[in-house]
Amino acid sequence: MAFDLECVRSSLPNRRIDWHPAVESTMIEASRLAAAGCQSGTIVGAEEQTAGQGRYGRTWHSEPGSGLYLSIVLRYRFAPATLPLVTLALGLAASEAILKVADLACDLRWPNDVLIQSSKCAGILTQLEGSAIIAGIGINVNHSGFPEELTDIATSLRLATNRNHSRERLLVELAGSVDRFCALLEKEGGEPILAMFSRASSFVYGRRVSVDQGHSLLEGTTAGLNSSGFLILQADDGTKNVILAGGVRPCS
């Protein structure tokens, strides 16, 4: 079903929303607008991404007309070191929006994955563009299936509920949630975001996981988040490591 952009714009007045039939990546388009000085809250979305960006240079599967593929330009009084906390805040925002629209409670896998029953339904990507942060958010909404290599690890709101959902309503709810969580981070610092993320995630405390860091694979038990939003992993010998980046997966 075609995306009703005017419906969204009527619900989000005074906010620039650029919507494209297809783009290489909404992150690229939003970065261009940010560099040109666009206002905070500007949204760039697309029906399809031909080279959607994931972490570590991976691509994001962007089936035409089925998902919510967008990037938001954020201009808050955040220091560059706050970027990991912004990622956590965006995960909370996506989870809240999904709960409101689809009545699905999500799990959050540090640092940027939103899960439904252990399968990924949404992902977050953040990057700096001058004084702005570009928040890339992809949500699998009405996908009826995935390529074979993703079948065991990805899901959609439709697959989880056996019904379609309004992408327009989801975008409106998501925009409001992003505003609220980012404003909270700006006003009160990272402590409330860390506390809420820890409560919402089954991966933050006491989870046996492996962390793929490209050059090495670490195993241990999660032991919380530090004040910067990084994951603490306790090895079997009691040594604690701060995980700055890496793919976190539960140990079988």
Side-chain angles (χ1 to χ4, degrees):
M1 183 179 296
F3 190 79
D4 190 344
L5 181 57
E6 292 310 310
C7 173
V8 174
R9 283 177 170 158
S10 68
S11 298
L12 298 173
N14 305 316
R15 184 190 295 258
R16 178 173 178 176
I17 304 173
D18 289 4
W19 206 262
H20 303 271
V23 295
E24 183 178 355
S25 164
T26 62
M27 294 286 285
I28 294 173
E29 297 300 319
S31 293
R32 290 173 181 162
L33 293 180
C38 71
Q39 67 180 11
S40 184
T42 294
I43 295 172
V44 177
E47 291 295 276
E48 178 185 11
Q49 294 181 116
T50 57
Q53 297 180 26
R55 299 184 79 220
Y56 309 118
R58 301 188 185 105
T59 59
W60 180 268
H61 176 65
S62 304
E63 180 181 306
S66 296
L68 206 56
Y69 320 121
L70 61 99
S71 294
I72 307 176
V73 178
L74 304 175
R75 298 187 188 277
Y76 288 87
R77 294 189 298 274
F78 296 145
T82 309
L83 196 60
L85 292 169
V86 175
T87 302
L88 302 186
L90 294 171
L92 288 165
S95 178
E96 180 180 80
I98 290 169
L99 179 62
K100 288 181 177 180
V101 171
D103 198 26
L104 288 168
C106 297
D107 193 7
L108 297 174
R109 181 170 60 201
W110 185 93
N112 69 330
D113 292 338
V114 182
L115 309 178
I116 298 173
Q117 296 181 347
S118 79
S119 293
K120 185 172 178 177
C121 70
I124 314 295
L125 185 65
T126 54
Q127 68 182 37
L128 291 171
E129 177 59 55
S131 61
I133 293 173
I134 310 301
I137 303 173
I139 303 178
N140 301 328
V141 184
N142 293 322
H143 299 62
S144 59
F146 292 90
E148 184 177 352
E149 66 272 17
L150 298 177
T151 299
D152 293 336
I153 61 174
T155 191
S156 69
L157 308 190
R158 175 183 174 180
L159 288 172
T161 61
N162 294 313
R163 57 190 174 91
N164 282 344
H165 297 275
S166 167
R167 293 185 296 148
E168 295 85 355
R169 183 185 169 206
L170 184 59
L171 176 52
V172 171
E173 294 289 355
L174 178 63
S177 292
V178 168
D179 288 349
R180 285 191 296 275
F181 281 104
C182 286
L184 177 65
L185 178 58
E186 181 182 58
K187 181 179 179 180
E188 298 189 24
E191 195 168 317
I193 297 298
L194 292 169
M196 285 187 286
F197 191 94
S198 297
R199 288 195 298 269
S201 172
S202 71
F203 284 82
V204 170
Y205 283 103
R207 189 76 177 263
R208 183 77 179 177
V209 300
S210 62
V211 183
D212 183 358
Q213 297 194 304
H215 60 282
S216 64
L217 188 68
L218 301 178
E219 287 194 4
T221 302
T222 57
L225 303 171
N226 71 7
S227 60
S228 297
F230 295 116
L231 185 66
I232 300 170
L233 187 70
Q234 182 169 313
D236 292 340
D237 63 3
T239 303
K240 291 185 178 180
N241 300 294
V242 177
I243 306 301
L244 303 181
V248 175
R249 296 294 183 271
C251 290
S252 56

